[in-house]
Amino acid sequence: MVKTIIKKRKEGEVLETLSKQTLVAIGNKASPVIKAITQELHTMKRPDSVLLGKKHQDLHPFTYQEAFQSFVVSKHASLFVVGSNSKKRPNNLVIGRCYSEEILDMVEFGVKEFTSALKFKGEALQGLKPMFLFQGDLFETDATYGRIKNLFLDFFGGKHIEKVDTRGLNQLISLSATEDGDLHFRLYQVKEQQLNEVGPRFTLSLRRHSIASEARFKAATKQPKLKNKVKNVTTNPLKEKRGRVHVQQQDIKTIALKKRKLKLK
């Protein structure tokens, strides 16, 4: 039986057994572009995404960060997307993630161009792990864009797995950073050794960002040390430990026994 997020949190599992949940919401005002891009991001993240149907007036991640943080935590989400539209910040899109019930990284973008997946031929499959292609020197030379790269890997990477079946690698996400700082997102389907763009396609311009410090980011990405399994030790239904000891076979002829003298009557 798959454990719920609340039960998993109470038990305090060391390793993640569920994919990270994504919260997708829109503010009080949203343009047609914002409505479309949030809907398609939600579709790409299914079934690990929750789309809030109604508009929310108080969703201001940068202005009221503590209130927004409590809102995200109440939805048991680790990743979030918030779309809004205003005269000061048109077609605004905020993508972020949480760690230990606090916001870790949060980046605000302006959607400059958007083309829906409905405009493309083909159908992108859901629930599979995509391949990634990052193009541009900014991902290596700029610390902010390096963290954005890690954020996109976390957002679209899905659940951590030990092995990958190469036959299921049929999606490719391309994110290109140009010299002007814009990010160009493309989604392709790999079929018969060819790349077919299936959408959505959009271009993002960086606005505000709230990036965690290196120390906090290191703590968030630290891998726990697992205890080595003790061999030949089991636990019975009564929670009692039972061990099995293996010894080498002994030669009876070489065993030194106590010699007893015979008493004659």
Side-chain angles (χ1 to χ4, degrees):
M1 182 177 66
V2 178
K3 297 180 181 178
T4 62
I5 299 175
I6 300 176
K7 184 177 180 181
K8 192 182 73 167
R9 181 180 297 171
K10 288 181 179 179
E11 294 181 358
E13 291 189 5
V14 178
L15 296 179
E16 292 287 344
T17 57
L18 294 177
S19 300
K20 296 181 179 180
Q21 299 297 305
T22 303
L23 176 68
V24 182
I26 57 177
N28 187 32
K29 296 181 179 180
S31 63
V33 171
I34 288 299
K35 292 180 180 180
I37 193 172
T38 52
Q39 176 64 52
E40 298 205 13
L41 288 176
H42 165 67
T43 302
M44 292 176 62
K45 290 287 294 178
R46 284 178 180 173
D48 304 313
S49 177
V50 177
L51 176 63
L52 301 184
K54 64 179 182 179
K55 298 180 180 180
H56 295 265
Q57 297 181 358
D58 300 327
L59 290 185
H60 302 284
F62 284 89
T63 306
Y64 307 107
Q65 184 169 337
E66 292 185 2
F68 176 75
Q69 179 176 277
S70 302
F71 176 75
V72 175
V73 172
S74 67
K75 301 297 182 182
H76 309 292
S78 300
L79 304 165
F80 58 86
V81 177
V82 179
S84 61
N85 185 64
S86 64
K87 187 176 181 179
K88 186 177 181 180
R89 293 185 177 88
N91 296 332
N92 203 56
L93 190 70
V94 178
I95 301 176
R97 56 184 168 181
C98 297
Y99 165 70
S100 187
E101 298 188 349
E102 294 182 353
I103 294 177
L104 181 67
D105 296 321
M106 184 167 54
V107 185
E108 183 182 69
F109 300 101
V111 183
K112 299 179 67 173
E113 299 176 0
F114 173 75
T115 304
S116 173
L118 301 176
K119 302 292 184 181
F120 296 90
K121 295 182 180 180
E123 181 180 357
L125 301 178
Q126 302 174 9
L128 299 178
K129 292 186 71 66
M131 298 177 286
F132 291 90
L133 175 63
F134 293 92
Q135 303 178 93
D137 295 335
L138 285 176
F139 291 124
E140 305 298 332
T141 59
D142 191 283
T144 301
Y145 281 84
R147 189 64 62 84
I148 292 174
K149 173 184 176 180
N150 185 270
L151 175 61
F152 272 78
L153 284 171
D154 197 8
F155 189 85
F156 294 102
K159 185 176 69 172
H160 173 74
I161 57 177
E162 296 293 337
K163 297 181 180 180
V164 177
D165 189 351
T166 56
R167 294 173 297 179
L169 296 177
N170 59 359
Q171 282 190 12
L172 172 66
I173 291 178
S174 172
L175 191 66
S176 304
T178 53
E179 295 181 356
D180 57 1
D182 288 348
L183 297 175
H184 303 271
F185 181 94
R186 304 289 186 269
L187 177 61
Y188 298 93
Q189 186 176 25
V190 183
K191 190 174 183 180
E192 297 179 356
Q193 299 182 355
Q194 293 183 353
L195 294 179
N196 301 317
E197 189 173 0
V198 294
R201 175 201 297 173
F202 51 86
T203 301
L204 305 174
S205 61
L206 181 61
R207 289 177 178 169
R208 295 179 292 179
H209 62 272
S210 176
I211 302 297
S213 63
E214 288 296 329
R216 189 158 180 260
F217 180 75
K218 185 177 180 180
T221 56
K222 183 179 180 180
Q223 297 293 328
K225 294 182 179 180
L226 301 180
K227 295 182 179 180
N228 295 327
K229 184 178 180 181
V230 182
K231 294 183 179 180
N232 303 319
V233 176
T234 58
T235 304
N236 62 14
L238 299 178
K239 303 299 180 180
E240 298 175 339
K241 286 188 177 181
R242 291 289 182 265
R244 179 180 297 177
V245 180
H246 298 274
V247 296
Q248 296 181 352
Q249 186 174 3
Q250 296 181 347
D251 187 1
I252 300 178
K253 296 180 180 180
T254 60
I255 297 178
L257 302 176
K258 185 177 180 180
K259 297 181 180 180
R260 296 180 179 275
K261 294 182 179 180
L262 296 177
K263 294 182 179 181
L264 300 177
K265 292 182 179 180

